[in-house]
Amino acid sequence: MNSLFIWGVGTLLVVAYIWHFTRQPAWHIRGMVYALIHVMYRLRFQGRSNIPSRGPALVVCNHVSFVDALVMGGGSPRPLRFLMDKPIYESKRLNWLFRMVGAIPVESDRSDPGNVRRALDEVSRALRNGDIVMLFPEGRLTPDGETHTFRRGLDLILRRDPVPVIPAALSGLWGSWTSHAHGRALSRWPRRFRARVALYFGEPIAPGQATRQLLEQQVLELKRQADEWGDNHPSESES
């Protein structure tokens, strides 16, 4: 009888988990990613409380490597809806995952006329639904480890949707096999593991107060602080 009861309770818990997963997959995936990045890296998070517990917001961050989204997604206390390149979004192996977490694909109008407008409309719908949208305003991986000029597309989003904007900065991923530090990213096998990686979130900028130039300055300052922490805690093992 006891075995039957335990089996029944176990089955009920599994069914309940599957039901909840199908209802809110982004929350469960965020938890899995959180565990994964803690295996991959030695992490330092700062300012996570700056992410609002509810309501819409925009998060902007420098772009260093192909695992930036993993660290950002796992480090945020709430699921993020990423604005991402359409060719990556349409990857045959990962498209199911991107769709499940609500990623928003964007492509240049030159390659896909009208796509930018559709992407901006989807960003607006997400924000008006109370979601947090995250983007890398440089529009590409850094080729030299430095933070480059934010693209003007950010201005369009800021004008359309005045919501709180949280600047963020990543440090510690430049030099990994997923960055362009040693040639094309992902073109060689990883040689370093358990890097010290820092993710700093700044204080929210009030709706309507953020500008592209201000956000770029904020991200640069946060990156300086994150780099300083990494310089003071050198590590031989990286990833």
Side-chain angles (χ1 to χ4, degrees), residues 68-223:
D68 292 355
L70 283 179
V71 179
M72 292 293 300
S76 170
R78 284 176 60 190
L80 304 175
R81 292 194 62 182
F82 288 89
L83 194 67
M84 65 186 305
D85 287 339
K86 187 177 179 182
I88 298 177
Y89 176 87
E90 293 180 340
S91 165
K92 292 182 179 179
R93 294 182 179 180
L94 295 174
N95 178 254
W96 64 272
L97 176 61
F98 297 145
R99 287 187 288 106
M100 190 173 289
V101 299
I104 302 170
V106 62
E107 178 67 286
S108 68
D109 277 340
R110 181 182 304 174
S111 302
D112 183 359
N115 180 267
V116 171
R117 178 185 55 78
R118 292 193 296 273
L120 291 175
D121 288 344
E122 184 60 29
V123 168
S124 292
R125 280 191 289 270
L127 293 172
R128 293 165 190 171
N129 192 46
D131 296 335
I132 297 183
V133 175
M134 194 274 148
L135 68 150
F136 300 106
E138 292 167 274
R140 60 170 183 163
L141 296 186
T142 176
D144 54 14
E146 301 299 323
T147 302
H148 290 259
T149 302
F150 289 2
R151 295 189 175 182
R152 288 177 292 180
L154 177 58
D155 290 328
L156 298 175
I157 296 174
L158 295 174
R159 284 199 297 267
R160 286 169 59 114
D161 301 288
V163 298
V165 185
I166 297 95
L170 281 165
S171 178
L173 288 166
W174 178 251
S176 72
W177 71 298
T178 58
S179 73
H180 289 325
H182 304 287
R184 184 181 177 186
L186 306 180
S187 63
R188 63 190 183 96
W189 289 103
R191 299 178 181 177
R192 308 177 300 172
F193 298 92
R194 296 288 291 163
R196 293 185 184 274
V197 172
L199 171 57
Y200 282 25
F201 293 100
E203 294 185 2
I205 300 173
Q209 300 300 310
T211 65
R212 178 163 49 107
Q213 292 76 16
L214 175 60
L215 288 169
E216 188 174 323
Q217 293 171 5
Q218 295 276 345
V219 170
L220 284 169
E221 174 57 23
L222 288 167
K223 184 177 182 298

Side-chain angles (χ1 to χ4, degrees), residues 10-122:
T11 301
L12 183 62
L13 289 174
V14 170
V15 170
Y17 177 82
I18 293 173
W19 177 83
H20 195 267
F21 185 97
T22 58
R23 298 270 297 181
Q24 299 189 39
W27 282 97
H28 292 274
I29 292 172
R30 193 206 68 82
M32 296 174 190
V33 170
Y34 182 84
L36 174 63
I37 60 174
H38 275 79
V39 172
M40 297 170 61
Y41 304 110
R42 282 178 284 181
L43 294 159
R44 175 181 174 83
F45 296 133
Q46 181 169 293
R48 295 175 77 233
S49 61
N50 289 325
I51 300 292
S53 59
R54 62 179 61 189
L58 191 68
V59 177
V60 299
C61 185
N62 61 313
H63 203 5
V64 185
S65 77
F66 278 120
V67 297
D68 292 355
L70 283 179
V71 179
M72 292 293 300
S76 170
R78 284 176 60 190
L80 304 175
R81 292 194 62 182
F82 288 89
L83 194 67
M84 65 186 305
D85 287 339
K86 187 177 179 182
I88 298 177
Y89 176 87
E90 293 180 340
S91 165
K92 292 182 179 179
R93 294 182 179 180
L94 295 174
N95 178 254
W96 64 272
L97 176 61
F98 297 145
R99 287 187 288 106
M100 190 173 289
V101 299
I104 302 170
V106 62
E107 178 67 286
S108 68
D109 277 340
R110 181 182 304 174
S111 302
D112 183 359
N115 180 267
V116 171
R117 178 185 55 78
R118 292 193 296 273
L120 291 175
D121 288 344
E122 184 60 29

Side-chain angles (χ1 to χ4, degrees), residues 42 195-196 227-238:
R42 282 178 284 181
R196 293 185 184 274
D227 286 343
E228 187 176 81
W229 173 80
D231 292 340
N232 291 331
H233 296 82
S235 173
E236 291 299 325
S237 60
E238 305 173 22

